[in-house]
Amino acid sequence: MDVTRVASALLQGAAQVIKGKEEFLEYLITVLLSGGHVLLEDLPGLGKTTVAKTLSHLISDGEGKPLPFKRIQFTPDLLPYDITGVDIFDPDLHSFRFVPGPIFANLILADEINRTTPKVQSALLEVMAEQQVTVGSVTRPVPSPFMVIATQNPVESEGTFPLPAAQLDRFMMRLSLGYPHRDAELQILDTNPSELVLSHLEPVITVDELLQARALVDQVYCHPNLKEAMVDLARATRNHSDIRLGASPRSALHLLKAVRAYAFIKGRTYVVDEDVITLAPLVLSHRLKMVDPRTEASPLIRRLAIEHCNKYDYS
């Protein structure tokens, strides 16, 4: 396959299962191609789990099998070693051996991540940032590519633990599926894609093609002035009167990676200012702590992005 067609192949394949969500799928593939992680925040029954399963079916491990995928159901009684793995004593060998946890897979679904304690959530911090897991005194890499798709229900608060800022900062984007439009919902009734289509979905790309596409994404040109606009945007959130906790330097780096991947999906070899304006709310908003918790950060981030992008000349 022509590596430049990786994004279109993934989008077309995912659209067979996820109906009427073309824009959402573009954002999801953007995160995948830029090596990030995504937080899906939405109501029950909208297909958050199906999204993760679909993605794993679309990528082959190189031997014709779907990409190794693990689902971790986060519950209050979960322990950190249930995720990372643990050393156990082997009486036959008279020594300890490591039993890997479900985190040692390419694609991880962290289902209802906010239903477990912060101590367990912290088991994901190292692996999401560095693609490695430390148990005891031994550090082990996870397979490449590696991606975490976490889900949470934003409505229910009983029995949940809010994600700490350090955890939220690991997610490149926070996305929401939302309800499908009427025609798409009719298609869902007719085809039941999560059960009938997903089970027969064939891989459309290999792991090698995905890694090659990621290498091309890194080569997408971003004008120096546009990088300055992104840095200015991140810095503007740190001294804004409506924001208590601003965006980290990691957020600007994630934004740069995301806009490059988004430009690649759009068939361009360069980033434009509209890419930054479109993606900035998705990349930055969930990292901010507002002075008034009832205030939605996304509109403010979009206004700041427009303001700072318009300050520079990109010719």
Side-chain angles (χ1 to χ4, degrees), residues 30-192:
T30 293
V31 177
L32 175 65
L33 291 179
S34 50
H37 311 288
V38 64
L39 177 63
L40 298 184
E41 191 175 87
D42 224 323
L43 300 173
L46 295 184
K48 299 187 295 296
T49 302
T50 302
V51 166
K53 291 181 177 179
T54 299
L55 209 53
S56 69
H57 276 70
L58 292 174
I59 306 170
S60 165
D61 63 358
E63 299 179 358
K65 299 178 182 178
L67 198 67
F69 163 82
K70 292 289 178 65
R71 173 178 177 171
I72 306 172
Q73 189 66 49
F74 281 70
T75 55
D77 60 345
L78 202 68
L79 295 173
Y81 64 72
D82 292 326
I83 297 174
T84 60
V86 65
D87 291 312
I88 64 170
F89 184 74
D90 189 326
D92 294 329
L93 299 175
H94 299 285
S95 63
F96 285 90
R97 63 181 177 87
F98 180 67
V99 178
I103 201 66
F104 288 91
N106 293 102
L107 185 60
I108 305 296
L109 172 61
D111 209 5
E112 295 188 290
I113 189 174
N114 59 331
R115 290 202 174 276
T116 194
T117 61
K119 179 180 180 180
V120 178
Q121 293 174 12
S122 68
L124 293 174
L125 293 180
E126 179 187 14
V127 69
M128 289 178 67
E130 303 173 44
Q131 283 74 58
Q132 65 182 30
V133 175
T134 301
V135 178
S137 60
V138 180
T139 298
R140 298 174 174 87
V142 293
S144 181
F146 176 78
M147 181 180 184
V148 173
I149 299 178
T151 72
Q152 65 176 2
N153 178 354
V155 176
E156 293 182 349
S157 58
E158 185 175 351
T160 63
F161 303 85
L163 299 183
Q167 181 70 70
L168 288 170
D169 202 39
R170 259 65 171 186
F171 290 104
M172 177 172 282
M173 288 190 198
R174 180 181 61 183
L175 300 178
S176 175
L177 268 165
Y179 290 109
H181 57 71
R182 187 174 184 275
D183 290 343
E185 197 160 0
L186 284 171
Q187 291 182 47
I188 292 171
L189 291 181
D190 288 338
T191 61
N192 193 7

